[in-house]
Amino acid sequence: MLNVFPGHPGQAEPTPHAQAVWIDLVDPDPQEIALVERTTGLHVPGLAELSEIESSSRLYRRNGTLTMSLPAVQAADTQARTTPVGVVLSRERLLTVRFARLRAFETFAESCKDREQISSTDLLLGLLEAIVDRLADVLERTGEELDQVSGRIFHARRGGLRPKREENELRAVLRAVGRSGDLISKLRDTLLGVGRLGPFLATNADWLTDAQKPRLETLQADIRSLTDYNAHLTNKVQFLLDATLGFISIEQNDIIKVLTIVSVVGVPPTFFASMYGMNFKWMPELDWAWGYPYALMLIVLSAVLPLLWFRWRGWL
């Protein structure tokens, strides 16, 4: 799919043309790539090229054109995933390549429809600002979700829950913490990718104007602040994970404690019942009028006294 800014007045469908300042390729097919390369003279990087992780492959200058790539987060309701985004910048034109729909691109493209004249560098700075704003929104929402998880862990009154419901609650908390941790790690990759673009642009884009340089510095400052907040959320995820595992360990210890107490309490009654169940001819208690009640009372006391002792020691 092709998005072109500004659009060609004589074409109903978006088509690359000589006056196009920004061409956005979304999961392009070979015909679209060939058309854009033929029209603009710019190389369109492919998925394999954009997926490289070494810095020399992500950021380089060739023939006066800057080629950059970064991992972008596509946040979904179930699972976030990372998709590569390519940026090719020259003095006259901006070319972006992506393989998934990204809300930051769509929001910024919508805002560009009312603009008549804008340079390729201003378009890139605006796009990066939109990406950073989107990352900030996702981080804020993730922080709120972690606050809710924290309330479920530490402030919810779970003492009256049945063990099965308690187990399901802890499982749900673990899943929520895991999803947040996975999203935060992917957001950090995107922040690092955008953060590398700033110094690279400042060093290699020699056509930057005096009005564009402060925008780039502000963008870098925003990225630093978001990186710090991302590190804070990472620490919080680890803390909540440790706390949840601690509660799970406590629940398991309580179960083992109950089983241990039951087994210990059952030993004395078993001993007395076995002793008075022996079929010997000479047993003094056989001639007692109250021998049977005495044996029953002894069995009951042998079970109750250990329970009272456990209670007194605070184990129950």
Side-chain angles (χ1 to χ4, degrees):
M1 188 175 77
L2 273 171
N3 298 314
V4 180
F5 173 83
H8 198 285
Q11 297 289 338
E13 294 293 331
T15 304
H17 52 88
Q19 290 75 31
V21 182
W22 177 23
I23 300 176
D24 182 30
L25 288 163
V26 184
D27 196 13
D29 55 39
Q31 291 77 15
E32 292 174 335
I33 293 176
L35 175 61
V36 170
E37 289 183 338
R38 185 171 59 253
T39 304
T40 63
L42 299 175
H43 169 65
V44 179
L47 178 60
E49 184 178 348
L50 295 177
S51 300
E52 298 287 344
I53 61 174
E54 59 268 25
S55 179
S56 59
S57 298
R58 285 190 171 184
L59 306 170
Y60 59 89
R61 176 171 179 167
R62 185 177 299 165
N63 299 327
T65 301
L66 306 183
T67 302
M68 300 159 278
S69 66
L70 69 150
V73 176
Q74 186 184 24
D77 295 334
T78 56
Q79 183 180 2
R81 66 185 186 93
T82 302
T83 178
V85 173
V87 178
V88 180
L89 177 68
S90 66
R91 188 185 298 270
E92 299 82 13
R93 186 171 287 112
L94 170 66
L95 173 65
T96 56
V97 186
R98 52 195 172 101
F99 301 89
R101 299 187 62 180
L102 300 172
R103 187 173 301 179
F105 278 75
E106 297 173 358
T107 302
F108 181 68
E110 190 69 23
S111 67
C112 289
K113 292 182 178 180
D114 299 331
R115 305 181 186 181
E116 296 182 357
Q117 296 293 332
I118 188 170
S119 68
S120 61
T121 307
D122 284 330
L123 281 169
L124 177 59
L125 290 176
L127 180 60
L128 293 178
E129 289 168 351
I131 292 174
V132 171
D133 288 342
R134 174 61 180 164
L135 292 175
D137 293 339
V138 176
L139 282 173
E140 290 173 1
R141 187 176 70 246
T142 305
E144 293 174 357
E145 292 175 354
L146 288 177
D147 288 339
Q148 295 176 2
V149 172
S150 178
R152 293 171 64 183
I153 295 175
F154 298 109
H155 305 294
R157 303 179 64 180
R158 299 194 305 269
L161 294 179
R162 295 179 179 271
K164 187 62 177 179
R165 292 186 60 186
E166 177 76 9
E167 178 184 347
N168 292 336
E169 176 69 11
L170 291 174
R171 286 178 184 270
V173 168
L174 266 180
R175 292 192 185 96
V177 174
R179 285 194 300 268
S180 297
D182 180 62
L183 176 59
I184 289 170
S185 67
K186 289 180 171 61
L187 292 174
R188 178 174 175 81
D189 290 341
T190 304
L191 284 171
L192 291 175
V194 178
R196 293 190 186 100
L197 264 60
F200 181 76
L201 283 173
T203 303
N204 295 277
D206 48 16
W207 56 83
L208 284 174
T209 65
D210 293 336
Q212 293 168 345
K213 292 178 180 178
R215 291 181 63 186
L216 189 58
E217 294 174 358
T218 302
L219 183 68
Q220 292 178 276
D222 290 340
I223 292 173
R224 286 193 295 269
S225 65
L226 291 180
T227 302
D228 293 339
Y229 186 65
N230 183 279
H232 161 70
L233 292 183
T234 301
N235 294 333
K236 189 169 185 178
V237 164
Q238 186 61 48
F239 169 70
L240 294 177
L241 179 61
D242 293 340
T244 305
L245 294 176
F247 277 112
I248 291 175
S249 178
I250 291 174
E251 292 294 326
Q252 292 175 341
N253 290 337
D254 288 341
I255 294 174
I256 297 299
K257 181 176 68 176
V258 170
L259 294 176
T260 303
I261 290 175
V262 169
S263 62
V264 171
V265 169
V267 170
T270 303
F271 168 74
F272 289 111
S274 301
M275 183 180 67
Y276 287 111
M278 293 186 293
N279 296 319
F280 290 118
K281 183 177 181 180
W282 300 107
M283 292 184 67
E285 292 85 357
L286 292 178
D287 295 331
W288 291 2
W290 296 94
Y292 179 68
Y294 164 78
L296 290 179
M297 184 60 65
L298 193 60
I299 291 173
V300 171
L301 286 176
S302 66
V304 172
L305 289 177
L307 288 174
L308 294 177
W309 186 68
F310 287 140
R311 182 77 175 181
W312 175 68
R313 292 299 300 268
W315 297 344
L316 283 175

